[in-house]
């Protein structure tokens, strides 16, 4: 794997990056993470990602051993190991740390910090020009009282099983329902329904992760004057949608062309989806730093 990895202060090539098998992130999935991408080699919406990392850690009662400025500097140092790369994918992970086989946090006094940087691999252009296929899967999103979805934790089995179900059905992404049968989110994305000119996405109360790109797109849609916002949605709303799209850090705004093999409306990316994608990319250009020469 072509990557460089920061592990507790030391930066190494991927093949040499190691962490103890007694780390509770490995043993129990106790940890939180954020995924980012760069535009012009700068992490996009870094401040929002770090704010969410802190919220996730607080929900897990996991102390973060760094300031935002310190982790930002560590990200820059890790990226600087490969100045020849273009845009980068960045994953920041913080775990409970290394300790004895116990759920007692006192056995892990020092959290582990890992930063993975690798070349950004974008979705194929046809994902945006033609749209992708999704499947409404049987795997339900964790109940908030079982594992709070507001916490972006390293324990991703729920999402992985949902995604694998979708892949087995020939889809690119899974749409997950909550315990009440309402639309929650994708296994790796948030989902938006466009109906009668309105742009809607499930509320946080449906049991979903508050996506950074989701938040950004809600702001863009409001600026553009589209009615909408958060609303309880069901599989029937998906079936009757005029347009459907996904949002995510590396996927930006991705049109959905088919759900469970059935075309969404015309089966082509919709007008509002494409307009929001254009607006998204224009705003990215405004916010990105000047290209490095």
């Amino acid at each position: 794997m072509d990557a460089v990895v920061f592990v507790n202060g030391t930066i190494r090539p991927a093949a040499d990056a190691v962490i103890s098998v007694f780390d509770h992130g490995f043993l129990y999935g106790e940890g939180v993470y954020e995924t980012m991408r760069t535009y012009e080699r700068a992490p996009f919406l870094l401040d929002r990602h770090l704010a969410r990392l802190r919220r996730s850690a607080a929900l897990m009662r996991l102390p973060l051993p760094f300031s935002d400025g310190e982790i930002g500097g560590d990200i820059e140092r890790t990226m600087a190991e490969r100045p020849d790369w273009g845009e980068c994918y960045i994953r920041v992970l913080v775990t409970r740390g290394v300790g004895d086989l116990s759920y007692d946090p006192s056995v892990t006094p020092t959290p582990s910090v890992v930063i993975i940087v690798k070349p950004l691999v974008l979705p194929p252009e046809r994902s945006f020009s033609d749209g992708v296929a999704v499947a409404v899967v049987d795997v339900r999103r964790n109940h908030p009282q079982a594992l709070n979805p507001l916490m972006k934790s390293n324990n991703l089995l729920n999402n992985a099983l949902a995604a694998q179900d979708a892949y087995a059905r020939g889809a690119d992404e899974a749409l997950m329902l909550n315990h009440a049968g309402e639309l929650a989110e994708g296994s790796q994305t948030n989902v938006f329904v466009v109906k009668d000119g309105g742009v809607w996405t499930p509320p946080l109360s449906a049991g979903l992760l508050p996506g950074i790109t989701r938040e950004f797109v809600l702001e863009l849609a409001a600026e553009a004057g589209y009615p909408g916002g958060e609303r309880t949605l069901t599989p029937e709303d998906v079936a009757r949608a005029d347009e459907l799209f996904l949002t995510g850090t590396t996927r930006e705004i991705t049109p959905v062309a088919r759900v469970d093999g059935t075309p969404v409306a015309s089966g082509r990316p919709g007008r509002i989806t494409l307009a929001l994608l254009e607006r998204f990319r224009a705003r990215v250009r405004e916010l990105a730093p000047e290209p490095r020469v």
Side-chain angles (χ1 to χ4, degrees):
M1 181 180 297
D2 198 9
V4 288
V5 185
F6 170 108
V7 180
N8 295 327
T10 301
I11 301 173
R12 295 186 174 95
D16 300 324
V18 295
I19 197 160
S20 171
V21 296
F22 289 99
D23 192 287
H24 282 213
F26 171 75
L27 291 172
Y28 306 124
E30 285 193 276
V32 294
Y33 78 100
E34 283 292 324
T35 296
M36 291 162 270
R37 64 151 295 177
T38 65
Y39 291 93
E40 302 298 341
R41 294 274 296 185
F44 187 59
L45 300 178
L46 176 62
D47 56 341
R48 300 194 194 196
H49 279 284
L50 294 182
R52 186 173 64 179
L53 186 71
R54 293 196 178 279
R55 290 195 299 269
S56 296
L59 289 169
M60 193 178 285
R61 299 176 183 173
L62 172 62
L64 296 187
F66 49 73
S67 67
D68 287 1
E70 288 169 337
I71 194 66
D74 291 335
I75 291 171
E76 288 186 10
R77 288 199 299 116
T78 307
M79 289 179 55
E81 291 291 310
R82 291 301 303 265
D84 54 311
W85 288 345
E87 303 298 358
C88 294
Y89 166 101
I90 303 162
R91 191 180 186 98
V92 176
L93 306 98
V94 185
T95 76
R96 189 77 71 188
V98 177
D100 201 356
L101 302 180
S102 171
Y103 292 147
D104 185 350
S106 68
V107 306
T108 52
T110 306
S112 295
V113 181
V114 175
I115 302 169
I116 300 171
V117 174
K118 62 179 187 174
L120 179 67
V121 177
L122 293 172
E125 185 54 37
R126 66 177 180 274
S127 297
F128 303 103
S129 61
D130 301 340
V132 299
V134 301
V136 180
V137 298
D138 294 331
V139 178
R140 295 294 174 104
R141 195 67 179 93
N142 288 324
H143 193 289
Q145 291 180 307
L147 185 61
N148 192 337
L150 296 178
M151 177 171 53
K152 193 173 177 70
S153 81
N154 293 346
N155 193 323
L156 291 169
L157 183 59
N158 185 227
N159 307 68
L161 292 175
Q164 290 159 14
D165 187 355
Y167 299 156
R169 292 159 61 178
D172 303 292
E173 168 66 312
L175 294 188
M176 303 178 72
L177 309 180
N178 64 14
H179 61 282
E182 302 161 348
L183 184 63
E185 60 184 338
S187 68
Q188 303 166 75
T189 58
N190 290 112
V191 59
F192 284 74
V193 169
V194 178
K195 184 66 178 178
D196 298 328
V199 180
W200 303 96
T201 194
L204 298 184
S205 59
L208 55 101
L209 180 75
I212 301 300
T213 307
R214 170 187 180 273
E215 175 185 65
F216 193 63
V217 169
L218 283 170
E219 294 168 3
L220 293 178
E223 289 174 8
Y226 295 117
E230 295 185 339
R231 186 171 77 181
T232 298
L233 299 169
T234 66
E236 289 71 31
D237 292 308
V238 172
R240 295 194 296 264
D242 297 328
E243 304 175 33
L244 196 68
F245 64 85
L246 309 173
T247 61
T249 294
T250 58
R251 298 177 188 237
E252 299 182 328
I253 296 174
T254 301
V256 175
R258 297 178 304 284
V259 178
D260 294 329
T262 300
V264 177
S266 68
R268 300 289 301 172
R271 175 183 60 83
I272 291 176
T273 300
L274 293 177
L276 283 172
L277 177 58
E278 182 178 358
R279 179 176 285 264
F280 179 96
R281 289 176 170 172
R283 184 59 53 83
V284 165
R285 290 192 294 271
E286 291 174 8
L287 296 175
E290 291 295 320
R292 300 183 182 184
V293 295

